[in-house]
Amino acid sequence: MPGRNGEALFNYKRRTSTVAHIGNIELGGNNPVRIQSMANTNTNDTEASVEQCIRIIKAGGELVRFTAQGVKEAKNLKPIREELNRRGFRTPLVADIHFNPKAADEAALHVEKVRINPGNYVDSVHTQRRFEYTDEEYQQEIEKIRTRLVPFLNICKEHHTAIRIGVNHGSLSDRILSRYGDTPNGMVESCMEFLRICKDQNFDNVVISIKASNTVIMVETVRLLVASMDKENMAYPLHIGVTEAGDGEDGRVKSAVGIGALLADGIGDTIRVSLSEEPEAEIPVAKSLADYIALRTGHEPIHVMDCGMVNPFVFHRRETRKLGMIGGGNVPVVISEATQGDLKPDFVFCKDELPKLLVLPTIVDYEKWTEVANLYPLFSGRQTDKILTCKASIKFVETDYASISNLLDKTDDSCVFIATAVGKNCVGEQRAIIHTLMANGRKNPVILKRSYKDANASDFQIKSGADLGVFLIDGMADGIWVEAPAIGEEEQLSVAFGILQASRSRMTKTEFVSCPSCGRTMFDLQTTVARIKEKTAHLKNLKIGVMGCIVNGPGEMADADYGYVGSGRGCVNLYKGQECVEKMIPEDEAVDHLVALIKQNGDWIEF
């Protein structure tokens, strides 16, 4: 979206980037979106690391990352690389470095790429010791970064090692926070400081990532980074991901919402889906997502102009009229045929016989509509001549982008538009409908409708999240209507509400912000997440962070109500908001302590 206007906003095209050379693969440019994951073994355990790496590769992983907490772990990347080579696996390895530049120097000798975090490469992270710097002091700190970074770049040049400059929302430095706060601007500047040094040193073998667990912040920040690079004539390839996405359906939907929003705008050259599951489970999810977005290549052109009223860098809900519970600042609604199970849609679409009691607001085809409370008509394209004469208080009007202009003089303020898509670039088509309404001063609410006829559960989660999440992140939709006949009704509703929650537009269940496990994780993450969910999943409207270590944990769960963070081998710290309230609790007691903490603060309800 950054730098795209006019008709380009609606027509899918990959962003043009430079190419990074990482071992035997190229990343960026015209290359396909690369798929990667991160091992969660102890990097000092060569055999376990090699075996897990092979599982990731066989699943389709094109890069594999290992944590290297110190020089010892960085040195052990050499025998891991050698053993993989001996077994015929040349897939590039990446070292993940935090806090320890010496480990980065060592890792660059042995693997094809090294990730460094600007928030803790030289600067201090979240010490809260200092919050003010004069301009001179601030510049001196940047020079310290240059002094330490340039020798590392020289090692990488000599050994043909690529680097990733990886900014995380949860680990911005005190210095950046002192001047920019915990903001997208701060995240972008943290990255740009390092990129300017790379550019000055003629080091171009660079990949960038800028991640957050909040999908709205993540999307806005990556867009801002792209715009900032454009201004400084940089075009480095981008690694895209949502941190701490979680597991199961929630993790897949949240990843699809955040990553899909950027891929839909052509942004992203490699992706990692961060699930609190085995690393190899991430690969098919990431591949499905990348392949699905790539299908939009070569779609029929969409000839609609940008209304010029949407800021891609700042969330702003589109102003719409309030029609009952739709629009006007109401949370986005869910429409569905599904009514089975505990979840209920806000509106039921009934295409056959009407229920005897209209317990839920019900939508029917106009031909079946009568003037009954809680019953609303749906008009298709063939019924447009009857819209203005209909006396219903709310009228639903289905439209595609080719028809929306013709509907403007046949509809009034009581209409809710159901935006559909008929081509393979659904985001562009539905975006065109909304921009046409805005350009013509129309404030009618818009519901996005998508059908996934043959999709299985995983495909449905990924495709619907990628198609619809971007509109909610941009504040452009007042509701969604998704259909997947091949899966159960309750699951359809769960995914629909999950998309709203993942896009931060409506909470209907407990949100678990849980990281993917890695070699830094202090406990069995999958088992722990399952135990915490079993005890607390009924606490709707709470956010609970489950973090394996302190590197990004406290920062990434910044807006969580409670946090469970690994603090040492077999030990846990508990947080209320950003305050650590209990330290070094034995792991086998920590879940009970978390429940007690929630009760103590009055947020507990019984099953």
Side-chain angles (χ1 to χ4, degrees):
M1 182 178 285
R4 302 180 68 197
N5 47 39
E7 292 186 356
L9 178 64
F10 310 98
N11 292 282
Y12 173 76
K13 182 182 178 182
R14 283 273 302 277
R15 164 183 171 263
T16 302
S17 75
T18 56
V19 176
H21 301 274
I22 308 168
N24 60 1
I25 72 167
E26 292 184 339
L27 190 155
N30 294 320
N31 294 290
V33 173
R34 302 296 187 181
I35 308 301
Q36 60 178 284
S37 184
M38 184 173 183
N40 61 14
T41 53
N42 182 336
T43 310
N44 289 317
D45 187 336
T46 302
E47 183 178 354
S49 297
V50 167
E51 292 297 335
Q52 188 178 74
C53 188
I54 291 173
R55 291 195 296 273
I56 293 170
I57 294 168
K58 287 184 175 180
E62 297 173 280
L63 297 99
V64 181
R65 181 159 42 119
F66 288 91
T67 187
Q69 301 97 311
V71 173
K72 180 182 178 183
E73 288 81 4
K75 285 183 175 180
N76 205 59
L77 291 168
K78 181 179 180 181
I80 293 173
R81 175 74 276 170
E82 290 173 343
E83 179 60 16
L84 285 167
N85 289 348
R86 190 186 70 78
R87 298 197 197 182
F89 295 96
R90 301 285 178 174
T91 300
L93 303 184
V94 184
D96 193 67
I97 309 295
H98 294 272
F99 304 112
N100 197 332
K102 291 182 179 178
D105 293 347
E106 179 68 30
L109 305 176
H110 311 304
V111 295
E112 289 78 10
K113 187 168 117 183
V114 177
R115 179 271 177 103
I116 58 174
N117 184 342
N120 55 38
Y121 185 71
V122 173
D123 282 342
S124 298
V125 179
H126 295 316
T127 64
Q128 298 184 350
R129 294 175 187 161
R130 186 167 188 186
F131 288 99
E132 293 184 7
Y133 291 80
T134 66
D135 289 345
E136 182 180 1
E137 289 171 332
Y138 197 91
Q139 189 58 42
Q140 287 173 353
E141 294 300 310
I142 293 176
E143 287 305 312
K144 287 182 183 178
I145 294 172
R146 178 183 294 274
T147 299
R148 189 64 190 83
L149 183 61
V150 169
F152 170 65
L153 296 180
N154 289 335
I155 294 171
C156 291
K157 285 179 183 178
E158 181 180 352
H159 293 271
H160 307 289
T161 307
I163 69 169
R164 168 154 73 99
I165 296 171
V167 177
N168 275 21
H169 189 210
S171 54
L172 295 178
S173 70
D174 282 350
R175 179 177 58 81
I176 288 291
L177 290 171
S178 74
R179 184 153 294 193
Y180 297 94
D182 187 10
T183 64
N185 282 322
M187 295 171 71
V188 169
E189 185 58 25
S190 181
C191 183
M192 293 299 292
E193 288 176 352
F194 277 64
L195 287 180
R196 292 179 190 120
I197 296 171
C198 290
K199 186 176 180 180
D200 183 61
Q201 295 297 308
N202 295 314
F203 186 87
D204 296 325
N205 209 17
V206 177
V207 182
I208 314 160
S209 67
I210 194 159
K211 297 185 180 182
S213 63
N214 181 318
T215 56
V216 177
I217 290 175
M218 171 253 195
V219 170
E220 291 174 357
T221 304
V222 173
R223 288 172 175 170
L224 185 61
L225 174 65
V226 171
S228 298
M229 284 198 293
D230 287 346
K231 288 179 182 177
E232 299 191 30
N233 296 314
M234 300 176 184
Y236 299 109
L238 281 157
H239 169 128
I240 303 297
V242 178
T243 59
E244 285 73 44
D247 64 353
E249 177 187 295
D250 290 342
R252 284 157 177 78
V253 170
K254 188 173 183 179
S255 296
V257 165
I259 298 171
L262 292 167
L263 291 179
D265 286 334
I267 298 172
D269 302 286
T270 180
I271 62 174
R272 187 228 172 157
V273 172
S274 298
L275 300 176
S276 301
E277 301 176 19
E278 290 302 321
E280 56 267 31
E282 298 177 347
I283 300 300
V285 181
K287 183 167 174 45
S288 294
L289 180 55
D291 289 347
Y292 179 58
I293 300 295
L295 291 174
R296 297 171 193 181
T297 303
H299 65 83
E300 287 293 320
I302 298 172
H303 300 296
V304 174
M305 297 300 290
D306 179 4
C307 71
M309 300 167 65
V310 180
N311 184 343
F313 310 123
V314 179
F315 173 81
H316 179 74
R317 181 87 180 267
R318 173 180 170 249
E319 184 181 352
T320 56
R321 299 183 185 279
K322 182 177 183 293
L323 295 175
M325 69 176 75
I326 306 175
N330 286 313
V331 295
V333 299
V334 170
I335 299 175
S336 177
E337 294 180 43
T339 57
Q340 303 301 313
D342 294 333
L343 281 173
K344 303 295 182 189
D346 299 292
F347 290 83
V348 177
F349 174 64
C350 187
K351 62 183 178 182
D352 298 316
E353 290 187 22
L354 287 176
K356 293 180 179 179
L357 293 175
L358 299 179
V359 177
L360 293 169
T362 303
I363 301 170
V364 295
D365 185 276
Y366 172 69
E367 301 293 347
K368 298 179 181 179
W369 178 74
T370 57
E371 294 184 50
V372 175
N374 237 22
L375 188 65
Y376 305 96
L378 172 66
F379 293 86
S380 65
R382 68 182 184 278
Q383 301 161 328
T384 54
D385 58 320
K386 302 175 183 177
I387 296 173
L388 292 176
T389 59
C390 178
K391 298 178 181 179
S393 59
I394 303 175
K395 295 170 282 192
F396 294 87
V397 182
E398 192 167 293
T399 181
D400 57 28
Y401 93 93
S403 304
I404 185 63
S405 294
N406 293 330
L407 282 171
L408 294 177
D409 61 354
K410 298 177 181 177
T411 54
D412 57 21
D413 292 342
S414 65
C415 293
V416 174
F417 286 105
I418 306 294
T420 64
V422 295
K424 58 185 180 181
N425 182 16
C426 57
V427 169
E429 292 183 21
Q430 291 177 310
R431 187 177 274 165
I433 294 171
I434 297 169
H435 277 251
T436 299
L437 291 172
M438 295 176 73
N440 285 275
R442 297 294 294 268
K443 295 183 179 180
N444 303 73
V446 173
I447 309 292
L448 304 169
K449 183 180 180 182
R450 293 286 293 147
S451 181
Y452 304 90
K453 186 172 70 170
D454 299 318
N456 60 29
S458 181
D459 283 344
F460 177 52
Q461 294 160 8
I462 293 164
K463 292 177 179 179
S464 61
D467 289 341
L468 303 175
V470 62
F471 293 96
L472 297 157
I473 285 172
D474 287 338
M476 294 291 105
D478 300 285
I480 60 175
W481 181 352
V482 288
E483 300 173 328
I487 67 173
E489 288 191 352
E490 190 167 8
E491 188 163 7
Q492 291 180 52
L493 278 176
S494 179
V495 170
F497 282 108
I499 292 169
L500 299 186
Q501 182 141 334
S503 58
R504 300 297 176 112
S505 53
R506 180 177 178 179
M507 282 192 69
T508 52
K509 56 186 175 182
T510 315
E511 181 167 346
F512 295 94
V513 182
S514 62
C515 63
S517 60
C518 71
R520 296 185 300 269
T521 302
M522 297 297 180
F523 48 79
D524 184 330
L525 194 69
Q526 294 179 57
T527 301
T528 301
V529 170
R531 289 173 58 212
I532 292 174
K533 281 189 172 183
E534 182 183 5
K535 297 276 190 179
T536 64
H538 67 292
L539 303 175
K540 299 185 185 339
N541 299 319
L542 279 189
K543 294 189 182 80
I544 299 175
V546 186
M547 301 294 165
C549 73
I550 62 169
V551 172
N552 295 313
E556 288 294 358
M557 62 176 200
D559 64 347
D561 300 290
Y562 297 92
Y564 182 110
V565 180
S567 56
R569 190 59 60 185
C571 293
V572 172
N573 288 355
L574 294 183
Y575 286 72
K576 174 69 176 79
Q578 281 290 281
E579 181 185 358
C580 183
V581 293
E582 292 189 58
K583 294 183 177 181
M584 301 301 288
I585 306 165
E587 182 187 346
D588 58 357
E589 302 174 13
V591 175
D592 289 337
H593 278 243
L594 174 63
V595 170
L597 179 63
I598 296 171
K599 290 180 176 179
Q600 177 186 328
N601 283 276
D603 290 326
W604 185 264
I605 57 173
E606 296 299 333
F607 285 93

